[in-house]
Amino acid sequence: MNRMRKIISALALTASLVACSKNVDDIAEYIYINGNIITINDLQPSAEALAIKDGIILAVGDNEEVLASQGSTTEIIDLEGVTVVPGFIDAHSHFAGVGTQAIVANLLPAPDGPVNSIAQLQAVMRDYIANSDIVDEYDVALGFNYDDSQLVEARHPTRHELDAITTEIPLMIMHQSGHLGVYNSRALEMMGITAATPDPSGGLIVRELDGVTPNGVMEENAHFMIFYRMIPAFTESDLLSLYKAGEYSFISNGFTTVQEGKTDLATLQTLPRIAVTNGFDVDIISYPDIA
């Protein structure tokens, strides 16, 4: 490692001596060296070093070639063999939804979460309710990404099993697909869902054995017609935290361009405002919900 530092220092000295004769536009802000850089360029599929200025790649090649872009203020980052790939472009997701997932209970099955039974789901939701600032502030409990096919019961939970968690506040858990949810009795009551409520076009209110009483499972448009009303009216500060949590989730998985695939009116108004005031570190493509 000492030998590598000496080599880098020598290269840095050489670069600084010639920097005075360079055009300032050719001097990098950052230079990454000693990496395994995947370029997605058939003519140069891999490289050792990368130079960047103002978010633009100045040079790609071996250490010596790229260090020619070094100036007195250039920061050198030694990748120590780490692989670097171009930023991933998300093809389909919901940016605000990913942010919401970051602040609600994680109901994913193993290995991504702890829920492989209804009892485990109940335990996670009880713990979330007991410890969540969101629940304290907004009096609503949300959990995302349970998967009935990976529960030992091989079925969806019902309102009765959610009522065993709480009947004091509305509670909703969303399926991993995002296209259905289960609501406790308090949530159904607040949303005006009763035995007399007809199935909406394109949706299904799953009923109990009597054929009329909702069992808590709401599919497709039956779910969508009440789900968005379950999301709290977050303060600007909480919204910013939500979006930043979602952004971190994307960035930590290598995404630099993401989709907001069904943007409601409030989000459509909020995203540009936050982009201007606080800024985002990803590019967000927003598709407004036509409805």
Side-chain angles (χ1 to χ4, degrees):
M1 183 59 71
N2 287 336
R3 181 172 178 273
M4 178 57 70
R5 288 198 185 99
K6 289 178 182 178
I7 292 172
I8 294 171
S9 296
L11 289 170
L13 176 60
T14 301
S16 65
L17 290 174
V18 299
C20 60
S21 63
K22 295 177 189 172
N23 187 318
V24 67
D25 293 333
D26 297 327
I27 296 175
E29 283 183 276
Y30 304 96
I31 293 179
Y32 298 83
I33 61 172
N34 300 322
N36 174 34
I37 296 168
I38 309 301
T39 67
I40 317 299
N41 177 359
D42 290 341
L43 300 178
Q44 187 187 21
S46 63
E48 186 179 31
L50 179 69
I52 295 175
K53 180 176 183 178
D54 296 330
I56 304 297
I57 295 173
L58 289 182
V60 180
D62 61 33
N63 285 340
E64 185 175 1
E65 289 173 329
V66 175
L67 281 165
S69 299
Q70 184 182 4
S72 60
T73 60
T74 302
E75 181 177 350
I76 306 295
I77 297 98
D78 189 344
L79 294 170
E80 299 181 348
V82 168
T83 295
V84 176
V85 298
F88 300 142
I89 297 176
D90 157 44
H92 179 118
S93 71
H94 304 274
F95 177 73
V98 172
T100 304
Q101 287 183 58
I103 63 170
V104 303
N106 175 16
L107 303 181
L108 281 166
D112 301 305
V115 175
N116 284 93
S117 71
I118 291 174
Q120 289 173 338
L121 183 151
Q122 290 172 319
V124 169
M125 289 306 304
R126 288 190 184 103
D127 182 69
Y128 175 74
I129 290 170
N131 295 287
S132 169
D133 292 338
I134 297 297
V135 175
D136 283 344
E137 187 168 352
Y138 295 103
D139 287 325
V140 64
L142 304 172
F144 282 10
N145 290 326
Y146 84 89
D147 184 356
D148 59 303
S149 70
Q150 297 193 62
L151 298 178
V152 294
E153 295 86 356
R155 64 171 175 81
H156 300 288
T158 68
R159 67 181 174 91
H160 301 290
E161 286 153 333
L162 299 191
D163 287 349
I165 302 168
T166 181
T167 56
E168 295 179 359
I169 61 173
L171 184 156
M172 186 279 298
I173 59 172
M174 188 156 69
H175 188 263
Q176 194 172 46
S177 67
H179 284 250
L180 63 91
V182 189
Y183 298 75
N184 72 348
S185 295
R186 179 65 175 143
L188 292 176
E189 178 187 355
M190 289 181 64
M191 296 295 111
I193 304 300
T194 68
T197 305
D199 292 345
S201 176
L204 176 67
I205 301 173
V206 181
R207 314 283 174 166
E208 296 185 353
L209 292 179
D210 62 8
V212 293
T213 305
N215 81 345
V217 179
M218 308 284 282
E219 298 183 1
E220 296 293 350
N221 282 347
H223 167 58
F224 294 134
M225 74 179 182
I226 61 175
F227 165 67
Y228 294 105
R229 293 160 55 198
M230 289 283 293
I231 302 298
F234 291 115
T235 64
E236 187 81 3
S237 175
D238 285 342
L239 265 181
L240 178 60
S241 297
L242 181 154
Y243 291 139
K244 285 298 181 180
E247 181 181 55
Y248 175 79
S249 180
F250 279 106
I251 290 174
S252 62
N253 285 282
F255 289 94
T256 54
T257 298
V258 303
Q259 312 287 332
E260 175 45 71
K262 188 179 181 183
T263 315
D264 60 48
L265 184 59
T267 305
L268 189 65
Q269 294 170 338
T270 303
L271 286 177
R273 186 169 68 249
I274 292 178
V276 170
T277 56
N278 296 91
F280 288 111
D281 293 322
V282 294
D283 292 323
I284 303 170
I285 301 171
S286 175
Y287 297 93
D289 182 357
I290 196 170

